[in-house]
């Protein structure tokens, strides 16, 4: 049984359709991350240029006025302090002050940068590591020892970085605030901080790396199976 | 002996010679790639599927014991 096309070609009814070339399922993710890295790098370069040759700022660099929020002071409501906008029984309080300094000193500028730079380095490096991991997996296959290693490095980077970056930024922020008061009240114990979501993500990636390692070992066994 | 060490010897060379068959011919008849058969023949395989063993024995007209032998220490 056959059908005739407009070009007078006879095709069997059960002709096998053309097979598509196998597509790498990691390719879309690889391309997306590649674009993201290029966009971020371009943004960094452009911002740096506007900061150096213009009036732009980047991660605290180049700022002529530095502002930081101090959340420790609080002011309760009362008839004297805030307008009576609230229903009876509602107590409102203002917490925190926004402290700004014009023409900051070099030390203040450095501390201001330190309140932003650690997180940026953490996230940017994490995206680069993810990009390298996906690229390697797309080329070498998912169950490759190199992927386990890269995933472990990314996991530790996020888990430890989530603590170190937050602590560093908190230390810088506290030092910056204390420098704006007449009498300093430094409390190093108050510097410790961590981003729970990052730490949890890092630990999750370490768990996935352990599971992936088992898959790599199983694949190595299968490779020797005839 | 660790999990990866074993003392199984594969006598595929002798059987192929006895049957007057090449590895390529065996590959086509059994449906296993020449690369994998070479891995088996050279003792680098870690495991063999029962389905592969069945096809090999059917094509070579042999029993598993003719193809596989466990080397005893000291013999």
């Amino acid at each position: 049984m056959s059908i005739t096309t407009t070009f007078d070609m006879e095709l069997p009814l059960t002709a096998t359709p053309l097979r598509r070339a196998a597509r790498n399922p990691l390719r879309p993710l690889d391309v997306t991350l590649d674009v993201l890295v290029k966009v971020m790098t371009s943004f960094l370069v452009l911002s740096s240029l506007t900061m150096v040759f213009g009036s732009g700022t980047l991660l605290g660099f180049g700022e002529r006025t530095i502002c930081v929020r101090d959340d420790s002071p609080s002011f309760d409501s009362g008839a004297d302090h805030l307008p009576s906008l609230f229903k009876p029984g509602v107590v409102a309080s203002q917490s925190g002050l926004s402290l700004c300094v014009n023409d900051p000193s070099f030390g203040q500028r450095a501390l201001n940068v330190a309140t932003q730079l650690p997180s940026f380095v953490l996230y940017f490096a994490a995206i680069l590591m993810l990009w390298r991991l996906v690229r390697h997996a797309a080329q070498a296959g998912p169950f490759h020892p190199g992927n386990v290693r890269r995933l472990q490095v990314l996991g530790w980077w996020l888990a430890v970085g989530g603590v170190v970056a937050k602590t560093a930024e908190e230390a810088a922020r506290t030092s910056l605030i204390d420098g704006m008061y007449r009498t300093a009240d430094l409390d190093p114990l108050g510097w410790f901080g961590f981003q729970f979501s990052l730490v949890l993500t890092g630990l999750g990636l370490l768990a996935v790396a352990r599971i992936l390692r088992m898959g790599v070992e199983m694949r190595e066994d299968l490779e020797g199976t005839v | 002996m660790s999990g990866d060490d074993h003392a199984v010897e594969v006598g595929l060379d002798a059987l192929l010679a006895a049957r007057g068959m090449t590895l390529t011919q065996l590959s086509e008849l059994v449906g296993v790639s020449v690369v994998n058969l070479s891995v088996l023949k050279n003792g680098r395989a870690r495991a063999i599927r029962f389905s592969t063993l069945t096809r090999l024995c059917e094509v070579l007209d042999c029993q598993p014991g003719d193809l596989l032998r466990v080397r005893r220490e000291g013999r």
Side-chain angles (χ1 to χ4, degrees):
Chain A
M1 202 175 168
S2 64
I3 58 174
T4 306
T5 69
T6 54
F7 300 102
D8 289 332
M9 286 165 59
E10 285 196 351
L11 293 175
L13 199 63
T14 56
T16 307
L18 283 174
R19 295 183 68 184
R20 290 184 185 176
R23 284 193 299 177
N24 190 333
L26 287 173
R27 184 81 184 131
L29 185 58
D30 183 18
V31 169
T32 303
L33 285 169
D34 190 48
V35 168
L36 181 64
V37 167
K38 284 174 178 160
V39 165
M40 287 180 69
T41 306
S42 304
F43 170 76
L44 261 180
V45 170
L46 275 170
S47 298
S48 302
L49 288 172
T50 58
M51 180 190 71
V52 171
F53 298 110
S55 59
T57 65
L58 176 64
L59 299 170
F61 288 102
E63 289 182 1
R64 290 184 176 79
T65 300
I66 290 173
C67 290
V68 65
R69 185 167 181 81
D70 183 6
D71 293 320
S72 50
S74 64
F75 309 94
D76 289 333
S77 72
D80 312 347
H81 292 101
L82 292 173
S84 16
L85 299 171
F86 311 106
K87 289 183 180 176
V90 174
V91 176
S93 64
Q94 279 182 312
S95 63
L97 287 173
S98 181
L99 308 173
C100 294
V101 59
N102 293 320
D103 196 18
S105 66
F106 177 80
Q108 286 172 325
R109 289 176 196 271
L111 285 173
N112 184 45
V113 168
T115 62
Q116 302 173 54
L117 191 61
S119 283
F120 176 80
V121 169
L122 178 69
Y123 285 117
F124 190 65
I127 289 173
L128 285 179
M129 287 180 203
L130 182 63
W131 175 56
R132 283 188 64 228
L133 166 65
V134 170
R135 175 140 298 187
H136 184 267
Q139 291 171 350
F143 295 102
H144 190 278
N147 296 335
V148 175
R149 207 167 42 247
R150 285 172 175 79
L151 202 53
Q152 284 175 326
V153 169
L154 180 57
W156 280 117
W157 177 256
L158 290 177
V160 174
V163 174
V164 171
K166 189 69 177 176
T167 300
E169 288 180 350
E170 196 57 31
R173 195 181 74 87
T174 305
S175 299
L176 191 58
I177 289 170
D178 281 343
M180 294 182 183
Y181 283 93
R182 289 184 188 274
T183 52
D185 182 24
L186 286 173
D187 177 22
L189 290 177
W191 293 352
F192 179 77
F194 69 96
Q195 280 185 272
F196 182 71
S197 57
L198 273 183
V199 173
L200 189 60
T201 302
L203 294 177
L205 288 179
L206 288 173
V208 170
R210 179 64 63 92
I211 294 168
L212 186 64
R213 188 198 294 179
M214 292 167 64
V216 169
E217 289 168 359
M218 287 170 65
R219 188 179 184 275
E220 285 173 347
D221 277 342
L222 273 179
E223 277 183 349
T225 299
V226 177
Chain B
M1 192 183 291
S2 72
D4 283 341
D5 295 337
H6 64 84
V8 175
E9 293 178 340
V10 180
L12 193 55
D13 272 338
L15 280 170
L16 284 173
R19 304 291 185 267
M21 197 182 293
T22 65
L23 202 65
T24 307
Q25 289 169 330
L26 182 66
S27 163
E28 289 168 6
L29 292 169
V30 170
V32 173
S33 68
V34 174
V35 170
N36 277 347
L37 283 182
S38 181
V39 164
L40 181 65
K41 184 170 80 80
N42 295 325
R44 287 183 285 119
R46 293 188 190 193
I48 183 169
R49 294 186 181 88
F50 283 161
S51 55
T52 304
L53 188 58
T54 302
R55 287 200 294 274
L56 280 170
C57 289
E58 283 173 352
V59 169
L60 295 170
D61 189 27
C62 65
Q63 287 294 315
D66 301 326
L67 191 59
L68 305 171
R69 195 175 75 89
V70 175
R71 182 180 66 248
R72 302 288 181 195
E73 295 298 320
R75 291 188 185 183

